[in-house]
Amino acid sequence: MARVLLLNGPNLNLLGSREPGVYGADTLESIEKRAAELAREAGHELVAFQSNAEAELIGRIHGAAAAGISFLIFNPAALTHTSIALRDALLAVRLPFVEVHLSNTHAREPFRRHSYFSDIAAGVITGLGAFGYELAVRAAVRHLAKPS
Ligand code: DQA
């Protein structure tokens, strides 16, 4: 049994009511619940955390290993396109992660095309809505099954 951290960045607490045409109708609570169920079915535990504050996300990443986390699923939201600090936090703790975006960031404004995370992620899932989180859990399960 491993522990996976599902981390969501700014404004994702508003999922369900936030631009549903772009982000879908699912709430963050339902996404987190489904992800936890899928992880449990595979014999793992998934804990979820969302914050609108960069510092809190960094704190969770720093504390991840001490909290027994061995894999992260991360949607940095708008911080995807701005946060060198979050990138550095992930590099510092050296925990594998999958980057998830609900919308297809490559089909939107040009400033969303660059991510500070994609080149250091184990994989990137973008544009598949809430289903992307389910795929990310499956990717986590597969990664955790590999001998380290
Ligand atoms: C997002 C895409 C980002 O560009 C945006 O700032 C978000 C959500 C997504 O999941 O599609 O807040 O990460």
Side-chain angles (χ1 to χ4, degrees), residues 3 28 32 45 50-52 61-62 67 71 93 97 112:
R3 193 171 287 164
L28 183 59
E32 290 174 345
E45 185 190 358
Q50 185 276 333
S51 179
N52 296 318
I61 292 168
H62 287 179
F71 196 92
V93 302
F97 73 97
R112 294 187 202 274

Side-chain angles (χ1 to χ4, degrees), residues 10 12 18 23 75 77-78 80-81 100-103 105 108 112:
L12 294 171
R18 176 193 182 197
Y23 298 114
N75 184 346
T80 304
H81 320 296
V100 177
H101 300 286
L102 293 140
S103 64
T105 50
R108 300 181 62 193
R112 294 187 202 274

Side-chain angles (χ1 to χ4, degrees), residues 21-138:
V22 177
Y23 298 114
D26 293 286
T27 62
L28 183 59
E29 194 186 356
S30 71
I31 288 170
E32 290 174 345
K33 206 171 150 219
R34 177 87 185 115
E37 268 167 22
L38 286 173
R40 196 169 39 245
E41 280 166 22
H44 300 301
E45 185 190 358
L46 181 141
V47 290
F49 179 73
Q50 185 276 333
S51 179
N52 296 318
E54 188 177 29
E56 286 191 18
L57 295 166
I58 292 171
R60 279 296 172 126
I61 292 168
H62 287 179
I69 305 290
S70 39
F71 196 92
L72 274 85
I73 297 169
F74 191 21
N75 184 346
L79 295 170
T80 304
H81 320 296
T82 62
S83 183
I84 299 169
L86 273 168
R87 175 192 173 91
D88 285 350
L90 287 161
L91 287 172
V93 302
R94 288 191 282 175
L95 279 174
F97 73 97
V98 166
E99 175 184 352
V100 177
H101 300 286
L102 293 140
S103 64
N104 180 353
T105 50
H106 298 283
R108 300 181 62 193
E109 303 96 322
F111 64 80
R112 294 187 202 274
R113 287 187 201 141
H114 177 259
S115 163
Y116 278 105
F117 302 91
S118 300
D119 64 310
I120 58 166
V124 183
I125 300 167
T126 186
L128 299 177
F131 182 53
Y133 288 95
E134 296 185 23
L135 294 175
V137 174
R138 292 196 59 177

